[in-house]
């Protein structure tokens, strides 16, 4: 690794951003994987494209409208699956295709070049600014406080919502708040690292952690460590090899996941999920 990069503010911002994003993505990703909502996250991610295109067309803040589309699409999937008895995968397909179609339409109608598209699709962790760090840091703090406040209820609702309802827990409130937080986390993370790295950070570390542990808290903690390790490794490699660091980070995460799966038969894993 070229240590000269530590003299540049953009590299320091990237390192701090990696730490913050790893913590937020570990919390959100563990909940998403536990609820088997990775597909929904992909749908919400692509539905954001509609808000991005609309923002470019109207000349408004594309990220703000992408956040509106993300929250709306998340709640839309929840409403269709729970109230309208639409299969969850079908609801995701509707939201996914509609968001992408609206995005393509508005981008086509927008005159000139739309620079936000590249940052939305690929991102660049080296472009993180101080204001980005403050914004995402504030969101991560809110997310962490909510997890600390409602940790036990979040875990129960994630694994057994029927039992939670019978026990009198506020399942609808917990689910709705978590759905909104997931949507906001997706939008903010896309702004920093793009779609490609986002989907990896909320799934691969968690799936790798499941090889070693089965408790919600343990998976979350291991996910943070794996995310940090993989992101720092990808950043270090990017200082030596002249390729996008996001692609390197994804490749490192995928390699660690593949290695963990290969070693799975040699690792004794607890039998059931828990706190």
């Amino acid at each position: 690794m070229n240590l000269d990069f530590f003299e540049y503010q953009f590299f320091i911002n990237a390192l701090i951003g990696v730490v913050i994003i790893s913590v937020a993505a570990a919390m959100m990703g563990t909940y998403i994987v536990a609820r088997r909502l990775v597909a929904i996250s992909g749908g919400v991610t692509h539905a954001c494209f509609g808000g991005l295109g609309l923002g470019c067309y109207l000349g408004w803040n594309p990220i703000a409208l992408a956040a509106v589309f993300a929250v709306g699409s998340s709640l839309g999937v929840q409403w269709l699956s729970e109230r309208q008895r639409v299969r969850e995968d079908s609801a995701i397909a509707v939201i996914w295709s509609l968001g992408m179609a609206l995005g393509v339409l508005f981008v086509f109608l927008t005159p000139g070049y739309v620079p936000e598209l590249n940052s939305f699709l690929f991102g660049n962790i080296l472009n993180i600014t101080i204001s980005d760090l403050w914004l995402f840091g504030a969101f991560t703090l809110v997310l962490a406080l909510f997890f600390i406040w409602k940790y036990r209820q979040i875990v129960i609702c994630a694994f057994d919502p029927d039992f939670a309802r019978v026990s009198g827990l506020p399942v609808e409130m917990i689910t709705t708040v978590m759905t909104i937080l997931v949507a906001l986390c997706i939008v903010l993370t896309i702004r920093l690292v793009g779609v490609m790295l986002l989907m990896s950070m909320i799934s691969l570390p968690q799936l790798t952690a499941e090889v070693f542990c089965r408790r919600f808290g343990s998976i979350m903690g291991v996910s943070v460590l794996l995310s940090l390790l993989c992101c720092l490794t990808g950043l270090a490699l990017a200082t030596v090899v002249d390729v996008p660091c996001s692609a390197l980070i994804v490749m490192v995460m995928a390699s660690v996941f593949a290695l963990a799966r290969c070693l799975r038969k040699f690792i004794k894993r607890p039998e059931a999920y828990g706190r």
Side-chain angles (χ1 to χ4, degrees), residues 1 107 123:
M1 180 178 178
V107 168

Side-chain angles (χ1 to χ4, degrees), residues 194-249:
V195 173
M196 179 177 62
L197 185 52
L198 162 68
M199 295 306 297
S200 300
M201 293 192 72
I202 62 174
S203 58
L204 286 177
Q206 290 73 23
L207 294 174
T208 305
E210 284 185 346
V211 175
F212 305 99
C213 47
R214 298 289 282 180
R215 293 183 177 275
F216 190 93
S218 300
I219 292 175
M220 190 184 301
V222 173
S223 297
V224 172
L225 295 177
L226 289 173
S227 292
L228 281 173
L229 176 64
C230 294
C231 289
L232 293 176
T233 302
L235 278 173
L237 290 174
T239 64
V240 179
V241 185
D242 188 20
V243 296
C245 61
S246 295
L248 288 174
I249 291 172

